[in-house]
Amino acid sequence: MRRILLTVAYDGTDYHGWQIQNNGRTIEGELNRAINELTGEVIEVIGASRTDAGVHGMCNRAVFDTESTIPADRFYAAINTLLPDDIRVTSSKEVEPDWHPRKVSTHKTYEYVIDNEEVANPKIIRYSWHVRGNLSIEKMNEAAGYLKGEHDFTSFCCVNGNALTNVRTIIDIGVYKKDNLVTIRVTGNGFLYNMVRIIAGTLVNVGLGRTACEDINKILEAKDRTKAGPTAPPQGLTLVEIKDIV
Amino acid sequence: MRRILLTVAYDGTDYHGWQIQNNGRTIEGELNRAINELTGEVIEVIGASRTDAGVHGMCNRAVFDTESTIPADRFYAAINTLLPDDIRVTSSKEVEPDWHPRKVSTHKTYEYVIDNEEVANPKIIRYSWHVRGNLSIEKMNEAAGYLKGEHDFTSFCCVNGNALTNVRTIIDIGVYKKDNLVTIRVTGNGFLYNMVRIIAGTLVNVGLGRTACEDINKILEAKDRTKAGPTAPPQGLTLVEIKDIV
C-alpha cells in the first residue's frame, strides 16, 4: 500500500466546492471517481483545503492510498485523462503512509482579485469581483497591516464556522494594483471559514472610504462578525500556494 | 435619427460567434435583442469584426440608428442591464450618420494566447491553447518577421474565405513569453478568415521545430492553404484593439 500525494488545480466555477456532497458535482467527487476508474479500487481522497463553491485552486493537495502499481510520478497524467478539463492534477508523488494534508504545518496563500473597471471585463467575470468606484490601494494596504500577525479573527469568520479556536496568524498580506485589477494576497498558517472573503469585503469598504483604516483594530477586538464588511463573492478567490514549513 | 457607436467586450466561449445565425446565440443577436428591448425599435447592429465561435473581443464595434432620446453616452450602461454578463458594452457615443465600422480605415490588433505548461491551467482553458513541449520564442519571432508587411496571405486563409483579394498588410507581429504563457500579438489593416489562427498554428509548428523559420517565405509564395500549419483553436484568440487611422 502506498500513499500518493496529488497537487490539484481547478476552475471552481462549475462545482459545489471541494468537499463531496449528496447533490452537485465537487472537486473531491470528481477526483474519487477518476481514481476509482483508473485503479479499480474504492478510494476516497483526503484534501488539504476544502474550498467553497465557486472558489478556485491552483495547488490544492489530495492524498489517497492505493495498491496500484502505477509509478507514483505517472499518476497525475493518468488521472487527468479521466477528469473534466476544468480540473487538472499537476503533479503526483509518494509520501509517508501517515502523511496527512491537514496535519502537516503549512503556509497557505490566497489571492482575491477585484475588477475595478467601471464596466466589468467579461473575460474575468469567473475569476474576479467587479467593484466600481475609486479604490484607495494605499488605504487598503494600511488597513491590511492591522490584520498581520496573530489575532482572534472571530469578526472575520462566518458564524457557521466550527473551528476550535478562532486565533490565526496572518504572515503576510498586501494589496497590489495592475491596470484596473486589484489583488489582495494573503498568507497564513490557516484560515477560518470565509475568512479571506470577509477580509476582502472589509478591505474594499476601506478602499471605498466606507470604513476607516484604524477601525480594523476595533473590528478585531469586537469579535463580532457583524462589525466586519460583507463576504466578498467566491469567484474572486483562488488558493495559489501551499508551502510546507520545514 | 442618430447613429450610435458601441464598443463591445465579450467572452466568446458560449456563443456561435459574432454574426447572427438561425441556430445558436450570437453576440450580434444578443445586442439586437437588448437594444430592441431598450428602445422599442427594431434594430440591427452593424459590427466591425465578425469574430468566430469561441473567439473573444475586448473592443469590437457596433453601430445602430435610433430615434430614442437616451443620451448617446448613457446607452452603454442602459444596454448592459439587458445583456448577459459575458457581454459588456464598455462605451457609447454618437457618430456621423454615414459612419460604417467596416468602411473606416483601422488597424486591428489580435492576441493569441498559448498555455505552454506541461499540464494545462484550468483557469485559462477558455482563453488559451494548451501546447506541450519546448516552444522556441526566438524562432517564432524570427518566423513572424517574414509575415510582416504586405503579402498575399492565401496560404493563411481558410479555403472557404470569400474576400476579393487575399493581400493584406501586417503592420506589427511579435511573440512574447511570461512564465509559461506565450502571446502572439499581431496588428494589421485587416485579416482574412481564420488568418490569425492559421498564423498561430504555423508559428507553433516553428516553435516546436517542425517547420523552419525560412519556410514561412515558401509557404507565403505557395498561395496554398495546405502548406501552412493547422488552424489554432478559437478560444486562444482575442480581438484586443481597433484603432482608427487618422
Side-chain angles (χ1 to χ4, degrees):
Chain A
M1 188 73 90
R2 291 174 303 157
R3 178 158 286 198
I4 306 292
L5 165 62
L6 308 177
T7 307
V8 187
Y10 47 91
D11 175 338
T13 309
D14 298 330
Y15 294 92
H16 292 242
W18 175 277
Q19 200 163 12
I20 208 156
Q21 290 188 359
N22 290 329
N23 307 313
R25 292 164 76 216
T26 64
I27 313 294
E28 192 180 10
E30 291 294 315
L31 286 171
N32 288 347
R33 184 195 47 73
I35 300 168
N36 292 359
E37 273 184 50
L38 179 67
T39 63
E41 302 167 302
V42 177
I43 275 165
E44 289 183 6
V45 300
I46 304 168
S49 284
R50 285 162 288 187
T51 53
D52 271 348
V55 172
H56 318 288
M58 283 294 100
C59 60
N60 210 338
R61 292 169 166 184
V63 296
F64 63 97
D65 296 321
T66 181
E67 301 280 4
S68 158
T69 56
I70 296 172
D73 64 351
R74 297 313 301 163
F75 260 109
Y76 79 95
I79 297 170
N80 281 338
T81 64
L82 298 162
L83 283 173
D85 65 359
D86 50 6
I87 306 177
R88 291 290 96 177
V89 181
T90 57
S91 69
S92 52
K93 65 172 183 180
E94 189 172 349
V95 288
E96 293 298 312
D98 61 346
W99 194 95
H100 187 293
R102 291 199 298 275
K103 286 175 187 161
V104 287
S105 283
T106 59
H107 288 171
K108 286 180 186 163
T109 300
Y110 282 91
E111 285 185 354
Y112 194 94
V113 175
I114 296 152
D115 179 0
N116 197 213
E117 283 283 356
E118 202 225 320
V119 176
N121 176 348
K123 272 182 79 179
I124 58 169
I125 47 173
R126 292 160 71 96
Y127 313 109
S128 61
W129 180 23
H130 181 228
V131 175
R132 273 198 202 84
N134 189 28
L135 282 176
S136 164
I137 306 305
E138 202 187 329
K139 283 188 182 167
M140 289 173 79
N141 265 311
E142 191 188 330
Y146 289 102
L147 296 170
K148 217 179 271 191
E150 189 181 79
H151 299 283
D152 184 316
F153 283 98
T154 301
S155 296
F156 293 87
C157 173
C158 175
V159 285
N160 296 320
N162 54 1
L164 294 174
T165 164
N166 289 340
V167 175
R168 292 291 183 279
T169 300
I170 289 185
I171 292 143
D172 201 17
I173 180 167
V175 184
Y176 310 92
K177 186 168 186 172
K178 202 196 160 210
D179 302 322
N180 276 314
L181 222 60
V182 176
T183 301
I184 300 167
R185 186 179 164 95
V186 52
T187 301
N189 63 351
F191 294 92
L192 299 166
Y193 188 49
N194 278 356
M195 179 169 154
V196 181
R197 288 166 58 188
I198 299 169
I199 288 175
T202 306
L203 292 183
V204 161
N205 272 355
V206 170
L208 293 172
R210 292 174 187 161
T211 301
C213 298
E214 53 278 14
D215 284 353
I216 299 294
N217 260 341
K218 293 182 208 155
I219 295 170
L220 281 168
E221 282 163 18
K223 295 177 195 169
D224 175 355
R225 169 68 189 92
T226 67
K227 302 298 181 197
T231 305
Q235 77 276 5
L237 188 62
T238 303
L239 172 65
V240 296
E241 198 176 25
I242 301 181
K243 224 170 163 172
D244 290 316
I245 305 170
V246 265
Chain B
M1 187 74 91
R2 292 175 302 157
R3 179 158 285 199
I4 305 290
L5 166 63
L6 307 177
T7 308
V8 188
Y10 46 91
D11 175 340
T13 310
D14 298 331
Y15 295 91
H16 291 243
W18 174 277
Q19 200 164 12
I20 208 156
Q21 290 189 359
N22 289 329
N23 307 312
R25 291 163 75 217
T26 63
I27 313 295
E28 193 180 10
E30 291 294 318
L31 285 170
N32 288 347
R33 184 194 47 70
I35 300 168
N36 291 0
E37 274 184 50
L38 180 67
T39 63
E41 301 167 300
V42 177
I43 275 164
E44 288 183 6
V45 301
I46 304 168
S49 284
R50 285 162 288 186
T51 52
D52 271 347
V55 172
H56 318 289
M58 283 294 100
C59 60
N60 210 339
R61 292 168 166 185
V63 296
F64 64 96
D65 296 321
T66 181
E67 301 281 3
S68 159
T69 57
I70 297 172
D73 65 351
R74 296 313 301 162
F75 260 109
Y76 78 96
I79 297 170
N80 280 337
T81 63
L82 298 163
L83 283 173
D85 65 0
D86 50 6
I87 306 177
R88 290 291 95 177
V89 181
T90 57
S91 69
S92 52
K93 65 172 183 180
E94 189 173 347
V95 289
E96 293 299 313
D98 61 346
W99 194 95
H100 188 293
R102 292 199 297 276
K103 287 176 186 159
V104 288
S105 282
T106 59
H107 287 170
K108 286 180 187 164
T109 301
Y110 282 91
E111 285 185 354
Y112 195 95
V113 175
I114 296 152
D115 178 0
N116 197 214
E117 284 284 356
E118 202 225 321
V119 177
N121 176 349
K123 272 183 78 179
I124 58 170
I125 48 173
R126 293 161 71 96
Y127 312 109
S128 61
W129 180 22
H130 181 229
V131 175
R132 273 199 202 83
N134 189 29
L135 281 176
S136 164
I137 306 305
E138 203 187 330
K139 283 187 182 167
M140 289 173 79
N141 266 311
E142 191 188 329
Y146 289 100
L147 297 170
K148 218 179 271 189
E150 188 181 77
H151 299 283
D152 184 317
F153 283 99
T154 301
S155 295
F156 293 88
C157 173
C158 175
V159 285
N160 296 320
N162 55 2
L164 294 174
T165 164
N166 290 339
V167 174
R168 293 291 183 277
T169 301
I170 289 185
I171 292 143
D172 201 18
I173 180 167
V175 185
Y176 310 92
K177 186 169 185 171
K178 201 197 163 211
D179 302 322
N180 276 314
L181 222 61
V182 176
T183 301
I184 300 167
R185 186 179 165 94
V186 53
T187 301
N189 63 351
F191 293 93
L192 300 166
Y193 189 49
N194 278 357
M195 180 170 153
V196 181
R197 288 165 58 189
I198 300 170
I199 288 175
T202 306
L203 291 183
V204 161
N205 272 356
V206 170
L208 293 172
R210 292 173 186 161
T211 301
C213 298
E214 54 278 14
D215 284 353
I216 299 294
N217 262 341
K218 294 181 208 157
I219 296 170
L220 280 169
E221 283 164 18
K223 296 176 194 171
D224 176 355
R225 167 70 189 91
T226 66
K227 302 299 181 195
T231 304
Q235 76 275 5
L237 189 62
T238 302
L239 172 65
V240 296
E241 198 177 21
I242 301 181
K243 225 171 163 170
D244 290 316
I245 305 171
V246 264

